[in-house]
Amino acid sequence: MNNAITDWIRPEIQQLSAYHVPEPGEAIKLDAMENPYQWDLIDKWLQTLQSAALNRYPDPAAREVKQQLRAVMQIPDTMEVILGNGSDELIQMLALTLNGKGRILLAPEPSFVMYRLIAQVVGMQYVGVPLNPNNFSLDRVAMLDAIKTHQPALVFLAYPNNPTGNLFALEDIEAIIETTPGVVVIDEAYAPFTDKSFMSREYSNVLVMRTVSKLRLAGLRLGLLAGPQDWLEQIDKTRLPYNINVLSQISAVFALQHYGVLEKQTRQIRADRADLLEQLKAIRGVQVWPSETNFILFRVADALAVFNELKKQGILIKCLHGSHPFLENGLRVTVGTPEENRAFLQALREIIV
Ligand SMILES: *Cc1c(COP(=O)(O)O)cnc(C)c1O
């Protein structure tokens, strides 16, 4: 290999494998927790875009977007808000802000892979604590022990969790919040699909993260962090000044003005999730876990074979086999349109008889 690369690229970066996203092609795409629905507002949206001042820098504080988000996500006035280019960028800002020699980022496992990946990229030490392997609840004793031992600067809890789909117990999270010396981030990416939230519970060391990605707006790249003003003021210093571009700002404001449409789609997805879950359960040889998200985790005898055969038939889901020992032969399917779900179930039944 090129010596300059081996000499100068940090070993942690050289050892990383980049986050891999497969080419969707023409597939029925049920792999990435996207909302499958179109909307009939395209003409109106395009009209709004005509006023986009691309010659100007965007509003660095994205005030209008924030105002809309505050309203639809019911963010208390006492909480400050920062926006990110997707919540991925917010995770990176948090890691950059709380990083330092020997600083620890801690999360339960299996959970969202970006926590570990971003810790490694910024040079923070990562500690993963196994969940209970049967139902993926928090192992409270193990978490509290790890927190006492490692004194983490940052703890990430996805609520509900990805890729397991469940909510952690409130008492477990409260114990973690009390024990953590640094900040606990509650990642509520799947808030549209559950009734539970930490948004209105105010703690001095808790930040709540949301995104519009699972709300039909994954292409916008827009996430938000809400929490006490004193913390956010510091984190905001690592934000690049114009991180939410003009087109995203205009489109977000437009989309959130039509929030009713998104809510209706979300309700439909929640209802279809229940159907999909029941149908999956009825297939012999399939183990299914309950879900508070827009995806379902399930296990089959040979996940890779099922994944590949579905793919051959033009249906793309996510194979979790090999990503964590607890996810052996695990697959994750995003709830699609009723037609997509039917096509998926039909193909699955034929593959595993
Ligand atoms: C999908 C997901 C996100 C989304 O991040 P964006 O960058 O906003 O698209 C964040 N956290 C979890 C747990 C997720 O599953």
Side-chain angles (χ1 to χ4, degrees):
M1 207 205 278
N2 181 342
N3 278 342
I5 289 179
T6 45
D7 290 351
W8 288 102
I9 302 291
R10 283 190 286 127
E12 308 92 270
I13 301 286
Q14 290 187 49
Q15 281 154 25
L16 279 180
S17 24
Y19 189 80
H20 173 71
V21 181
E23 283 286 330
E26 293 298 300
I28 295 182
K29 205 171 167 310
L30 302 175
D31 67 324
M33 284 78 93
E34 292 148 329
N35 171 324
Y37 292 105
Q38 273 307 329
W39 57 358
D40 48 16
L41 296 164
I42 290 180
D43 288 339
K44 268 183 160 171
W45 169 54
L46 289 176
Q47 260 170 29
T48 322
L49 285 180
Q50 284 175 12
S51 69
L54 282 185
N55 57 322
R56 304 289 181 199
Y57 284 104
D59 173 4
R63 278 161 297 192
E64 236 185 307
V65 182
K66 275 188 197 167
Q67 222 168 34
Q68 294 271 10
L69 286 169
R70 277 186 177 281
V72 301
M73 295 188 178
Q74 294 164 14
I75 303 171
D77 290 338
T78 47
M79 279 177 150
E80 197 47 63
V81 169
I82 300 182
L83 303 185
N85 187 1
S87 33
D88 291 346
E89 192 189 37
L90 293 166
I91 301 169
Q92 190 180 53
M93 282 160 54
L94 283 158
L96 287 169
T97 310
L98 285 123
N99 191 15
K101 201 169 170 354
R103 294 280 179 94
I104 307 282
L105 187 157
L106 183 145
E109 283 193 337
S111 189
F112 191 40
V113 292
M114 292 307 286
Y115 307 146
R116 174 201 283 271
L117 200 63
I118 287 171
Q120 286 168 332
V121 166
V122 307
M124 220 172 167
Q125 234 174 294
Y126 173 83
V127 173
V129 182
L131 293 167
N132 287 312
N134 47 344
N135 63 359
F136 303 118
S137 62
L138 286 165
D139 182 339
R140 194 200 297 202
V141 173
M143 279 297 278
L144 298 186
D145 277 355
I147 290 167
K148 285 175 195 153
T149 306
H150 297 288
Q151 297 289 304
L154 262 173
V155 174
F156 278 94
L157 297 174
Y159 184 80
N161 191 37
N162 172 14
T164 58
N166 59 312
L167 286 164
F168 299 133
L170 194 57
E171 313 83 70
D172 291 343
I173 297 182
E174 277 173 340
I176 288 167
I177 292 169
E178 273 171 35
T179 314
T180 300
V183 183
V184 178
V185 180
I186 310 287
D187 180 351
E188 297 189 348
Y190 298 96
F193 308 102
T194 181
D195 298 325
K196 299 272 176 63
S197 171
F198 273 73
M199 192 58 95
S200 57
R201 301 170 159 267
E202 296 189 42
Y203 304 87
S204 62
N205 65 332
V206 172
L207 307 176
V208 177
M209 195 162 68
R210 292 274 186 97
T211 175
V212 299
S213 293
K214 306 325 180 329
L215 200 61
R216 207 199 164 277
L217 302 168
L220 269 188
R221 310 307 300 130
L222 184 66
L224 83 85
L225 193 64
Q229 195 264 342
D230 49 0
W231 277 109
L232 292 200
E233 185 184 317
Q234 300 298 326
I235 294 157
D236 197 39
K237 295 174 186 173
T238 64
R239 188 174 62 84
L240 296 174
Y242 303 110
N243 64 332
I244 313 298
N245 72 66
V246 169
L247 295 176
S248 287
Q249 291 198 28
I250 291 188
S251 303
V253 169
F254 175 81
L256 296 172
Q257 279 166 349
H258 299 89
Y259 190 67
V261 178
L262 305 181
E263 267 188 313
K264 197 169 153 221
Q265 293 177 343
T266 299
R267 274 198 300 276
Q268 172 81 43
I269 292 168
R270 285 172 77 150
D272 292 339
R273 169 182 72 194
D275 286 346
L276 184 56
L277 200 94
E278 284 314 306
Q279 306 264 7
L280 270 173
K281 265 188 195 162
I283 303 175
R284 195 131 46 114
V286 176
Q287 185 187 1
V288 190
W289 280 269
S291 169
E292 293 276 325
T293 63
N294 64 339
F295 63 81
I296 293 172
L297 172 68
F298 64 104
R299 176 177 284 153
V300 295
D302 186 348
L304 201 57
V306 169
F307 170 80
N308 283 327
E309 187 52 38
L310 283 169
K311 198 165 148 195
K312 221 189 298 171
Q313 298 186 26
I315 300 170
L316 190 60
I317 64 170
K318 174 86 174 177
C319 183
L320 297 166
H321 184 74
S323 65
H324 190 279
F326 297 171
L327 300 173
E328 202 184 348
N329 283 313
L331 293 164
R332 186 187 67 194
V333 62
T334 304
V335 181
T337 63
E339 299 73 42
E340 289 173 334
N341 301 339
R342 266 197 296 279
F344 157 73
L345 284 164
Q346 176 76 19
L348 182 68
R349 284 188 198 105
E350 283 167 15
I351 292 166
I352 62 178
V353 279

